[in-house]
PDB file of all heavy atoms in Angstrom:
ATOM      1  N   TYR A   5    -184.477  19.485  75.725  1.00 85.00           N
ATOM      2  CA  TYR A   5    -183.949  19.576  74.340  1.00 85.00           C
ATOM      3  C   TYR A   5    -183.763  20.989  73.884  1.00 85.00           C
ATOM      4  O   TYR A   5    -183.072  21.236  72.910  1.00 85.00           O
ATOM      5  CB  TYR A   5    -184.899  18.852  73.399  1.00 85.00           C
ATOM      6  CG  TYR A   5    -185.062  17.395  73.733  1.00 85.00           C
ATOM      7  CD1 TYR A   5    -186.258  16.911  74.266  1.00 85.00           C
ATOM      8  CD2 TYR A   5    -184.001  16.504  73.537  1.00 85.00           C
ATOM      9  CE1 TYR A   5    -186.381  15.569  74.583  1.00 85.00           C
ATOM     10  CE2 TYR A   5    -184.123  15.179  73.865  1.00 85.00           C
ATOM     11  CZ  TYR A   5    -185.304  14.714  74.402  1.00 85.00           C
ATOM     12  OH  TYR A   5    -185.405  13.392  74.694  1.00 85.00           O
ATOM     13  N   LEU A   6    -184.388  21.926  74.546  1.00 90.00           N
ATOM     14  CA  LEU A   6    -184.239  23.348  74.232  1.00 90.00           C
ATOM     15  C   LEU A   6    -183.918  24.101  75.527  1.00 90.00           C
ATOM     16  O   LEU A   6    -184.457  23.810  76.576  1.00 90.00           O
ATOM     17  CB  LEU A   6    -185.529  23.940  73.699  1.00 90.00           C
ATOM     18  CG  LEU A   6    -185.849  23.655  72.247  1.00 90.00           C
ATOM     19  CD1 LEU A   6    -187.230  24.230  71.918  1.00 90.00           C
ATOM     20  CD2 LEU A   6    -184.844  24.260  71.321  1.00 90.00           C
ATOM     21  N   VAL A  23    -180.486  27.363  72.517  1.00 96.00           N
ATOM     22  CA  VAL A  23    -179.648  26.208  72.274  1.00 96.00           C
ATOM     23  C   VAL A  23    -180.562  24.967  72.233  1.00 96.00           C
ATOM     24  O   VAL A  23    -181.464  24.864  73.064  1.00 96.00           O
ATOM     25  CB  VAL A  23    -178.597  26.027  73.386  1.00 96.00           C
ATOM     26  CG1 VAL A  23    -177.805  24.751  73.227  1.00 96.00           C
ATOM     27  CG2 VAL A  23    -177.682  27.253  73.431  1.00 96.00           C
ATOM     28  N   PHE A  24    -180.334  24.075  71.257  1.00 92.00           N
ATOM     29  CA  PHE A  24    -181.071  22.815  71.294  1.00 92.00           C
ATOM     30  C   PHE A  24    -180.095  21.660  71.334  1.00 92.00           C
ATOM     31  O   PHE A  24    -178.956  21.760  70.942  1.00 92.00           O
ATOM     32  CB  PHE A  24    -182.073  22.709  70.151  1.00 92.00           C
ATOM     33  CG  PHE A  24    -181.501  22.602  68.779  1.00 92.00           C
ATOM     34  CD1 PHE A  24    -181.145  21.370  68.240  1.00 92.00           C
ATOM     35  CD2 PHE A  24    -181.351  23.726  67.968  1.00 92.00           C
ATOM     36  CE1 PHE A  24    -180.642  21.264  66.973  1.00 92.00           C
ATOM     37  CE2 PHE A  24    -180.834  23.628  66.686  1.00 92.00           C
ATOM     38  CZ  PHE A  24    -180.475  22.406  66.191  1.00 92.00           C
ATOM     39  N   VAL A  25    -180.610  20.544  71.875  1.00 94.00           N
ATOM     40  CA  VAL A  25    -179.769  19.372  72.148  1.00 94.00           C
ATOM     41  C   VAL A  25    -180.307  18.197  71.338  1.00 94.00           C
ATOM     42  O   VAL A  25    -181.513  17.955  71.290  1.00 94.00           O
ATOM     43  CB  VAL A  25    -179.787  19.032  73.659  1.00 94.00           C
ATOM     44  CG1 VAL A  25    -179.031  17.738  73.915  1.00 94.00           C
ATOM     45  CG2 VAL A  25    -179.194  20.179  74.443  1.00 94.00           C
ATOM     46  N   MET A  26    -179.356  17.481  70.711  1.00 91.00           N
ATOM     47  CA  MET A  26    -179.655  16.209  70.036  1.00 91.00           C
ATOM     48  C   MET A  26    -178.575  15.230  70.401  1.00 91.00           C
ATOM     49  O   MET A  26    -177.437  15.386  69.972  1.00 91.00           O
ATOM     50  CB  MET A  26    -179.708  16.411  68.509  1.00 91.00           C
ATOM     51  CG  MET A  26    -180.835  17.272  68.033  1.00 91.00           C
ATOM     52  SD  MET A  26    -180.957  17.388  66.248  1.00 91.00           S
ATOM     53  CE  MET A  26    -179.364  18.003  65.803  1.00 91.00           C
ATOM     54  N   ALA A  30    -174.955  19.817  71.507  1.00 94.00           N
ATOM     55  CA  ALA A  30    -175.709  21.047  71.819  1.00 94.00           C
ATOM     56  C   ALA A  30    -175.370  22.016  70.689  1.00 94.00           C
ATOM     57  O   ALA A  30    -174.226  22.167  70.328  1.00 94.00           O
ATOM     58  CB  ALA A  30    -175.288  21.597  73.146  1.00 94.00           C
ATOM     59  N   ARG A  31    -176.392  22.648  70.172  1.00 93.00           N
ATOM     60  CA  ARG A  31    -176.165  23.567  69.058  1.00 93.00           C
ATOM     61  C   ARG A  31    -176.777  24.934  69.389  1.00 93.00           C
ATOM     62  O   ARG A  31    -177.969  25.044  69.707  1.00 93.00           O
ATOM     63  CB  ARG A  31    -176.802  23.032  67.780  1.00 93.00           C
ATOM     64  CG  ARG A  31    -176.536  23.944  66.623  1.00 93.00           C
ATOM     65  CD  ARG A  31    -176.944  23.348  65.336  1.00 93.00           C
ATOM     66  NE  ARG A  31    -176.383  24.142  64.241  1.00 93.00           N
ATOM     67  CZ  ARG A  31    -176.760  24.025  62.990  1.00 93.00           C
ATOM     68  NH1 ARG A  31    -177.676  23.165  62.648  1.00 93.00           N
ATOM     69  NH2 ARG A  31    -176.219  24.771  62.072  1.00 93.00           N
TER      70      ARG A  31
END
Side-chain angles (χ1 to χ4, degrees):
Y5 300 109
L6 282 175
V23 176
F24 68 86
V25 175
M26 293 184 303
R31 182 171 193 194

